[in-house]
Amino acid sequence: MTLGFRVYGRRSTVDSALVAAFAEVPVANVSDSMHRMSAGGARLRPIHPAGVHLSGPAITVRCRPGDNLLIHKAIDMAAKGDVIVVDGGGDLTNALIGEIMVYLAQERGISGFVLNGAVRDREEIYASGLPVYAAGVTHRGPYKDGPGEINATIAIDGMIICPGDLIIGDADGVLCVPQQEAEGILRAAKAKQAAEQAEIKSIRDGSVDRSWVDRLLDERGCEYVD
């Protein structure tokens, strides 16, 4: 095989029932349930409208900064419901996708894009309604020369993404859930969501217990000065 130009098959993927279930859980609750140890970085912001959530199995791409040849190939390879996750090195000099690629992805039933890089045609991407997360926006277009890899393990800001892992996103950002651990994480995230809803209810009805604040301050030896 030619080093730098490699396209792998995807050997496994997260179950479709889990994809649907995670779509109903806030990303923050899932992140808390993963001990806040995985994140795609605060630069990955939604380009799409508010209220649009992302959930789907990853098809991964590693590309040369500013080059989208392998992203085009990933669009042609992707199954319905897939999320194309791209490690573009965080470079914002050239856009990796624009409206044409978004329309292609929509026609193929692709669930969205996550790009550690830039996009262009921001208004058109927003109007399309397709979930797209990117690190920036620029009018400068991409090159189509390669190299790159598809369905290799990639990382974005320390967040490891393997092909077939679950990718979720909402207004707070993007998170990768390892497919082998997805069921346990879902149970924990639902429990966290239920606990938060109960706390919100107690705030609304005035029964909330705030004694934990002073208790923690006392445990840490906080001194009060008049």
Side-chain angles (χ1 to χ4, degrees):
M1 301 180 75
T2 304
L3 185 64
F5 274 100
R6 291 179 175 168
V7 176
Y8 300 94
R10 189 171 61 186
R11 297 183 178 180
S12 63
T13 187
V14 65
D15 185 84
S16 59
L18 288 169
V19 172
F22 270 94
E24 304 298 322
V25 183
V27 170
N29 291 154
V30 181
S31 179
D32 285 350
S33 301
M34 296 173 66
H35 303 286
R36 307 179 182 95
M37 288 295 290
S38 183
R43 292 203 311 161
L44 294 180
R45 304 312 307 157
I47 308 298
H48 51 270
V52 176
H53 291 191
L54 175 66
S55 184
I59 176 169
T60 61
V61 181
R62 180 184 293 116
C63 62
R64 180 171 66 90
D67 190 290
N68 72 3
L69 177 59
L70 273 293
I71 305 175
H72 276 280
K73 179 60 177 175
I75 291 174
D76 291 343
M77 288 177 57
K80 184 177 181 180
D82 279 352
V83 177
I84 296 178
V85 187
V86 182
D87 174 14
D91 181 77
L92 305 181
T93 307
N94 297 81
L96 292 175
I97 70 168
E99 62 175 322
I100 297 299
M101 295 176 76
V102 165
Y103 299 153
L104 281 169
Q106 282 186 309
E107 288 302 311
R108 291 192 60 85
I110 292 169
S111 289
F113 288 92
V114 176
L115 304 117
N116 189 17
V119 300
R120 68 176 180 176
D121 304 323
R122 180 174 188 165
E123 290 184 354
E124 290 79 5
I125 292 174
Y126 184 93
S128 78
L130 186 75
V132 176
Y133 292 82
V137 179
T138 178
H139 56 80
R140 295 180 62 179
Y143 299 99
K144 293 176 174 60
D145 302 307
E149 294 182 320
I150 295 176
N151 282 330
T153 298
I154 63 172
I156 299 177
D157 261 11
M159 181 176 73
I160 307 298
I161 306 107
C162 296
D165 281 349
L166 176 63
I167 303 299
I168 58 174
D170 60 18
D172 286 339
V174 176
L175 184 62
C176 175
V177 180
Q179 56 179 303
Q180 297 88 348
E181 303 175 54
E183 289 189 15
I185 292 170
L186 177 62
R187 288 193 295 271
K190 284 185 172 181
K192 174 68 175 176
Q193 184 180 16
E196 286 194 354
Q197 290 171 342
E199 183 175 6
I200 292 169
K201 180 178 182 298
S202 71
I203 291 170
R204 300 298 189 200
D205 65 22
S207 65
V208 64
D209 181 4
R210 300 286 295 166
S211 62
W212 65 269
V213 178
D214 287 336
R215 183 173 65 254
L216 285 178
L217 289 171
D218 290 343
E219 290 174 1
R220 285 152 177 75
C222 180
E223 180 182 2
Y224 295 89
V225 181
D226 291 330

